[in-house]
Amino acid sequence: ETPTPAPAPSGFCFPMKATVEVLGKGVTLMKNLEIGDKVKVSDENFETIYSFGHKEENIIAEYIVLTTQSTQLEISMNHMVFLADGRAIPSSLVKIGNEIVLSSNKSEVVTTIGKTHLPGAFAPFTPSGIIIVNGVKVSTYVAFQESSNINIGVISTGVSFQWVANTFEYPHRVWCAWQFSTCQREKYVNGISTWVYYSNQFAAWLFSQHWTITFVIWSILMVYFLLISALQVSLTVQGLITIAFMFKLRKESRREIKKN
């Protein structure tokens, strides 16, 4: 049975024919990616896929088509793409003449923009929240408003959707690092991972409310995000200190061996 064309839920995905570079495998179709694959996220760096925000073959989804001189990217309208100025914006906001970032960190001008319907909806997650798809640097996340930053009423908070999403995902990343086999068996609701599904529903509800309600709830959430961010920085610094300490001990041990 042929699936009926429909927008992919929450709009954070790529079609199954999209390609990424996988370490040890080369260029790979999106539909063939697996949790545990190391995918290209910048010119020289690869990161492990620890989850799929969306993974569904049996759907025909609507995609925006961004074309540059050297490549073409099909991406759902709320999914974010990186501009040359460093911002991650929803693909629906990209205009002809905007410069999008490529895997080489060079940028190319968008020459045409269109729409199409293609099979499959996939959204692999990486620790940095970045992935190279069809040679273009894109986010693994979506924006719930037509903006790179979160807006409350007519006021911009100055806080990017990219930062919020990647901070929210931190506990998920830690869990997958600790219990990787569990994450390899992750379950999905309508093609969306259970970790993402309910938080997505909540976010969509939050940003559809009157600005006063959004402001109150967002203020509480911001405290949580700041605490998670501080924890992440603290653990990173602690890890670096531990590595430095271990390196120092190793050097001292070598000196002792040479003396003896």
Side-chain angles (χ1 to χ4, degrees):
E1 183 179 350
T2 303
T4 303
S10 301
F12 60 110
C13 35
F14 305 96
M16 64 168 63
K17 75 164 192 170
T19 60
V20 299
E21 186 175 343
V22 178
L23 190 64
K25 296 182 180 179
V27 176
T28 302
L29 291 174
M30 188 70 68
K31 69 174 183 177
N32 293 330
L33 288 179
E34 298 177 352
I35 291 175
D37 281 342
K38 294 184 181 298
V39 293
K40 195 170 190 178
V41 298
S42 67
D43 191 21
E44 299 179 348
N45 296 319
F46 290 78
E47 292 181 357
T48 301
I49 294 175
Y50 67 89
S51 176
F52 281 88
H54 197 174
K55 189 177 185 181
E56 189 171 11
E57 289 192 23
N58 298 321
I59 185 172
I60 301 293
E62 182 179 80
Y63 294 99
I64 288 177
V65 184
L66 305 177
T67 304
T68 71
Q69 181 180 2
S70 67
T71 190
Q72 180 173 288
L73 174 70
E74 295 90 6
I75 182 172
S76 53
M77 63 181 298
N78 294 337
H79 209 113
M80 294 185 287
V81 60
F82 287 92
L83 299 184
D85 63 11
R87 290 181 300 144
I89 69 170
S91 64
S92 60
L93 293 184
V94 176
K95 308 296 182 187
I96 292 176
N98 284 160
E99 293 185 30
I100 58 177
V101 182
L102 305 183
S103 62
S104 60
N105 281 330
K106 295 180 180 178
S107 59
E108 283 188 352
V109 172
V110 175
T111 55
T112 62
I113 298 175
K115 287 186 178 181
T116 189
H117 289 85
L118 293 169
F122 296 82
F125 282 1
T126 65
S128 65
I130 297 170
I131 189 171
I132 304 296
V133 177
N134 290 9
V136 180
K137 180 181 177 181
V138 298
S139 170
T140 60
Y141 307 124
V142 303
F144 287 90
Q145 298 172 322
E146 292 190 352
S147 171
S148 61
N149 293 334
I150 291 172
N151 298 320
I152 298 179
V154 296
I155 306 298
S156 173
T157 64
V159 179
S160 72
F161 279 103
Q162 178 71 14
W163 179 83
V164 167
N166 206 45
T167 303
F168 171 80
E169 273 292 302
Y170 181 66
H172 190 190
R173 292 195 296 274
V174 171
W175 173 256
C176 288
W178 183 46
Q179 294 286 338
F180 185 70
S181 60
T182 302
C183 289
Q184 285 183 303
R185 301 191 302 270
E186 70 179 2
K187 299 187 183 301
Y188 303 90
V189 179
N190 299 325
I192 302 175
S193 76
T194 51
W195 180 275
V196 172
Y197 181 81
Y198 298 104
S199 57
N200 250 27
Q201 295 289 313
F202 173 74
W205 172 84
L206 177 63
F207 291 111
S208 67
Q209 301 307 301
H210 189 273
W211 72 267
T212 53
I213 296 174
T214 303
F215 174 76
V216 171
I217 297 175
W218 170 249
S219 298
I220 297 169
L221 289 175
M222 193 60 190
V223 173
Y224 167 77
F225 288 133
L226 289 173
L227 288 173
I228 292 294
S229 183
L231 176 64
Q232 184 175 357
V233 171
S234 174
L235 291 177
T236 301
V237 171
Q238 186 178 8
L240 291 173
I241 291 172
T242 301
I243 291 170
F245 180 69
M246 294 296 291
F247 182 71
K248 182 180 178 181
L249 286 178
R250 187 178 179 184
K251 286 182 68 177
E252 290 178 351
S253 176
R254 285 180 176 177
R255 287 173 184 170
E256 288 297 322
I257 292 172
K258 286 181 179 180
K259 285 180 182 180
N260 297 329

